[in-house]
Amino acid sequence: MSNADAHSGITHSGIIGRPINRVGGPERVDGTYRYVGDIKIPNVLHTRLVHLDCGRARIHSVDTSAALQMPGVRAILSGKELPASVKRFGPANRDRPILAIDETTFHGEPVAIVAADTVWAAAQGAAAVVVDYQELPGIYTVEDALAPGAALVQDPALRPNSAYKETNILNEWKFGWGAVDSAEADLVVENDYTFPMMTQFAIEPFTYAVEPTSDGITVYSAIQHPNYLQRVIAEFLDMPLSRVRVIAPDPGGAFGGKQHAKFEPLLAYLALRIGRPLRLELTLEESFQAARRTSAQAHIRTGFQRNGTLVFQDVEINYLIGAYEDIAGRLVAKGSYAGGGGPYRIPNVRILARGVFSNTVPSTAMRGFGLPQMNWPVECQIDEAARELGIDPVELRMKNLPEYGEVFMPQDPPADGRWAETLRKGADAIGWGKPLPPGRGRGISMGLKLGPTTGASYAIVRLHGDGSATVLAGTSDMGQGARTVYTQIAAHELGLSPQRIMVVMGDTQGVPFDLQTSASRSAVFMGNAVLRACRDVARQVQELAAEHYKADAVIVEPGTVEVGGQRKTFDQVMTDRFSKVKGEVIGSGSARAEYDETHPLNGRPAFYEVTCTAVEIEVDKETGVMVFHKLVTVADVGRALNSQHVAMQDDGGAIQGLGHTVMEQYFMDDRGRVRNLGALDYRIPTTMDTPRELISLHVENGDGPGPYGAKGAAEGGILAVSPAVAAAVCAATGAMIRELPLTPQRIWEALHT
Amino acid sequence: MSALHYARPESLADAIAILEQYGPGARVLNGGTDLMVRFQKMQVTPEAIVDIKRVRDMSDAIVWDGDSVTIGARVVMTRLIRDERIRRRYPALVDAASTVGSIQIRNRATLAGNICNASPAADTVPPLLVHGATVQLVGSSGSRETPLDGFFLAPGKTARAPDELLVSITIPPHRSPYGAAFGRLTRRHGVDLASINMACAIDAERAVTFAFGAVGPTPITVKDTSGALADHTVSDAQRDAALQALIARTSPISDVRASAAYRSAMLLVIGRRVLAQAQQRRADFDARE
Ligand SMILES: Cc1cc2nc3c(=O)[nH]c(=O)nc-3n(C[C@H](O)[C@H](O)[C@H](O)COP(=O)(O)OP(=O)(O)OC[C@H]3O[C@@H](n4cnc5c(N)ncnc54)[C@H](O)[C@@H]3O)c2cc1C
């Protein structure tokens, strides 16, 4: 079934909010969708990376002679052979070499790359490269990294202007308001919490291809930010942006792991050097070594009045990042800033957050962007206070939620939603307070994430001579359904059935600029750009109608113009006007949020993403095995542009949240090697691990800045899962566990040792 | 490096001849759910792959001879699980086979492959061990039958010679009443390898046999000599002591799946449950006959 079929019979009327099926959905299911890996490039060579089985090593020499003799092997490049002129790259600081040069700094950092006629020949060649190296001790934990006299993970020369360059600290952020030290509390809850090292685990592994062309270079990558990648490659190669074409087919899952360049610069360099197109498909194991979420350790003190009123929050949180910065600076700042308070009114807040370098897999963005790590301690503290004070956890939260329009973070916009409604809906749906069978427990939690603070999205809408339309938008549809939502906006604005609209993305040569696909931004930013482009088209159609019919024309409803007392659809106007000499109408629109130096994050959030998760679980106390009977998520989305998509995103977020809550974690040995690379011993939830009942609800008050009052969605579902589950486990067993994931073994240990 | 040789012989004799020619460099390909994964990851680098799916005399039949059953080397888990008579007589084996991987995996995974792969955590092995199964092997020097107990030498290593093929598995008849059960512990509910697994059988003479997996280099079979495990009247403490005496023969280690302490503790917990189910099935068996 094609997209057109999927939407046959659907008209534009009432299409906003409607649960229409996903554009591109059937193709993803029947296997006809073309991912990066399906793109065939003539004359391409396949590549494979060479890495070492240890966390950190000094490379003495790389002997490629035997490998070069292997059948099918065409070229090998090792870091040792890189000319000094080859630049480093990185989305924030350019600190990462395309291949390890003298030292590998994490388990899996490539030492060399082998290009061959087939995937198998490349793999055989990679296995035959002989690396003479000496294993070195590494920094693998926050404690190691912060110990006095600890070896430096990163060469200070890579960040000459940093005040922290002689330490393993990337940066330290201090946020807050009020006066924590003089705040008087009846109850102070003080605890340590940890959040595991985990990976995004997109089902599509990282896959790339690079093709040198006569007029520049084409890079194929399932990247979330095609324009960002374009810039990174242009700077890396000293080429103008116009000569770098990034083709980014919709990723097969990304979850933040595919935001930034990883091996594209390496392939670009080698492809130009040997004059052949190259492709690289990482194995799942290698994908685990390419990106992960930052792990975190928090020490937190929270003060309450006897009646449950929050008095202060005092948090110190260390995020353990990899050996390169990637976007950790932004992640630590943004994640800790908003998380420190959560969606609550807290008069005194003090946050100290650090990004800490280590010899571990590069950490990058993941759904929630630093917030799940922070929300975990913050919400657990509230439950602990509820238990200590004998106050119901829902009531305690209600008491501290700001009203609509109330300022709750002094430098930020006031509460933009009716958050009590979100909490109430979650509590009602889980049956809060109703009796439970023995062995079961319930937990509830909230979460708040800041929406994007800056941004720039541009869209072009072409209304063709036959009245159909093409929307050009540089967002990546990585499963969140951006194509569908833009189709709905254009259908509504232009009065077209969705079948007549095509959304084109993922090609920087023809599609206008979008800053990035992240931060739950696309419905709001690109959504507004598409909406404005449609309205630009409408204005032009109106003019065109007046001119063509030689009468006054007014738009009476989206997609319909009244001329000389007659109603005409845009479709009719277009066919009448362009029947002889053909043509089209081109509209453009943009949405921007500028840099604001006065704000701690250099920009005020466009909206708040507020969520509630509630669970009912059962624990087998003898084994620690947990069963999820029910899970409810509630998202304040302002306006659901597609109710099905919102529910699917929150379902997905919740299931992904169950991953780090109950099973996902990297196990590292004392040599810094990840011992559970791949799908065998790194567990993610299967369908059989999902809650027996999974309900995703939303709150819609039309109070968002996006089209028709929408706010961003899709990260919320993951924010509050861990604390809700921990509270439920505590309710069911009496054991409060502050270290994720809550594996059967860990629950058993809490109960029996 | 020489090219990989892929062979798909049609007769047992041809298959054995290729195995003989390549010796330990040859790998038998059955359902491939273990072999292909290891092959792709270059954890095995065979010179020859001998695909036995077309071998005429490798059976995919389940054949009863009185109360004894012989399962051909090509029988996949799905087929085993669906067999009505197997379901009635050997629910522990069916329970074990039903936990292997997913539906897709079970459609390809064979019982023979689960045995020959010699993973200490192989799920169908504990029930086969407590049932006293034997395996039939054919090689260049003829055929032989050997008890499964003793067949496993180390992780990934069996007493099978490089030129031998496992052609079938036989479960001997059991006098009723007889009851057996299987249990395992995993880290998640869907598709997972066992952190520990086990089977228990109680025969007509009330002799209790346990087999434990993933708690030593090979699955191990232990018999209760105390008599306490078959006796309904003993106290929980006496029963646990008898179970602990069996568990003491295991040697669990700590790895990414579980700690040694957790494995040991779970042997007792799951052991009690499996024992109770075996007793129940034996009692039901009694009632039926
Ligand atoms: C996703 C996944 C999940 C899994 N889950 C489980 C699980 O829950 N429990 C479990 O126990 N296993 C599990 N497995 C492992 C595997 O599916 C089983 O061990 C299966 O029974 C192997 O059978 P096969 O026919 O696929 O063997 P193959 O892969 O074909 O062979 C396995 C080994 O046995 C040898 N061999 C096979 N047949 C013969 C023969 N007739 N004579 C001599 N040697 C032979 C092969 O050379 C090879 O070394 C899983 C595997 C996967 C990929």
Side-chain angles (χ1 to χ4, degrees), chain A residues 184-501:
Chain A
E184 282 183 25
D186 299 324
L187 170 72
V188 176
V189 180
E190 181 167 0
N191 288 303
D192 289 292
Y193 296 84
T194 65
F195 192 98
M197 205 180 272
M198 56 170 301
T199 190
Q200 292 84 355
F201 210 131
I203 296 299
E204 176 199 36
F206 293 96
T207 308
Y208 315 96
V210 168
E211 191 176 17
T213 59
S214 57
D215 51 10
I217 194 161
T218 303
V219 178
Y220 300 84
S221 175
I223 194 101
Q224 288 172 243
H225 311 340
N227 291 100
Y228 214 129
L229 175 62
Q230 183 189 30
R231 197 175 78 222
V232 165
I233 296 293
E235 285 172 357
F236 176 72
L237 297 176
D238 284 318
M239 274 190 193
L241 284 174
S242 57
R243 298 279 172 173
V244 176
R245 179 180 186 185
V246 172
I247 296 184
D250 294 353
F255 310 113
K258 294 178 183 164
Q259 287 192 0
H260 294 289
K262 296 194 173 53
F263 295 112
E264 298 92 332
L266 168 63
L267 287 197
Y269 173 75
L270 183 60
L272 289 175
R273 184 165 155 146
I274 66 173
R276 291 279 299 264
L278 300 175
R279 79 190 285 288
L280 170 66
E281 189 172 319
L282 299 192
T283 62
L284 186 61
E285 287 74 10
E286 288 174 316
S287 291
F288 273 58
Q289 296 172 305
R292 66 167 175 98
R293 194 202 272 281
T294 47
S295 47
Q297 285 166 229
H299 181 79
I300 179 166
R301 290 169 61 239
T302 316
F304 296 84
Q305 285 177 12
R306 214 174 310 283
N307 66 6
T309 303
L310 271 157
V311 177
F312 73 82
Q313 186 80 285
D314 188 10
V315 201
E316 180 181 338
I317 183 164
N318 289 305
Y319 288 83
L320 190 69
I321 69 171
Y324 303 110
E325 176 173 350
D326 197 81
I327 40 137
R330 188 67 187 158
L331 181 140
V332 174
K334 206 172 169 213
S336 61
Y337 177 81
Y344 306 107
R345 182 197 301 122
I346 314 182
N348 307 289
V349 171
R350 179 166 59 200
I351 297 159
L352 168 59
R354 294 188 193 91
V356 179
F357 283 116
S358 64
N359 294 114
T360 59
V361 170
S363 60
T364 186
M366 186 177 170
R367 199 178 205 155
F369 202 60
L371 209 282
Q373 295 94 315
M374 189 73 169
N375 205 42
W376 160 236
V378 164
E379 287 287 322
C380 285
Q381 292 285 95
I382 295 192
D383 284 301
E384 183 128 343
R387 288 189 291 267
E388 297 254 342
L389 296 169
I391 301 176
D392 179 85
V394 172
E395 237 171 75
L396 198 152
R397 287 180 168 84
M398 279 294 178
K399 190 175 193 73
N400 291 289
L401 285 178
E403 300 288 327
Y404 184 86
E406 181 181 334
V407 172
F408 67 110
M409 292 196 280
Q411 289 175 277
D412 291 274
D416 66 351
R418 301 178 193 283
W419 299 338
E421 188 183 337
T422 304
L423 176 58
R424 176 55 55 210
K425 221 168 174 166
D428 288 350
I430 202 73
W432 194 258
K434 297 220 174 93
L436 275 174
R440 293 205 192 179
R442 288 196 191 99
I444 194 163
S445 174
M446 294 194 78
L448 169 142
K449 181 175 185 287
L450 298 186
T453 52
T454 49
S457 297
Y458 297 80
I460 288 174
V461 172
R462 296 166 59 196
L463 187 63
H464 304 299
D466 67 348
S468 69
T470 298
V471 176
L472 304 174
T475 303
S476 280
D477 192 332
M478 51 196 177
Q480 85 280 40
R483 282 177 193 278
T484 319
V485 163
Y486 304 155
T487 301
Q488 287 174 275
I489 293 170
H492 174 76
E493 292 295 326
L494 303 174
L496 297 175
S497 113
Q499 276 174 281
R500 309 204 65 191
I501 294 162

Side-chain angles (χ1 to χ4, degrees), chain B residues 27-37 52 58 73 77 99-101 105 108-114 116-117 121-124 160 164-167 184 191-193:
Chain B
R27 284 282 172 158
V28 176
L29 173 65
N30 205 340
T33 59
D34 275 314
L35 186 65
M36 293 321 290
V37 176
I52 57 170
M58 294 292 281
M77 301 298 175
T99 65
V100 172
I105 294 290
R108 284 197 86 85
T110 61
L111 193 61
N114 202 218
C116 292
N117 191 56
D123 282 312
T124 63
R160 182 182 77 85
E164 279 182 318
L165 279 171
L166 189 155
V167 292
R184 71 169 188 163
V191 194
D192 203 0
L193 297 178

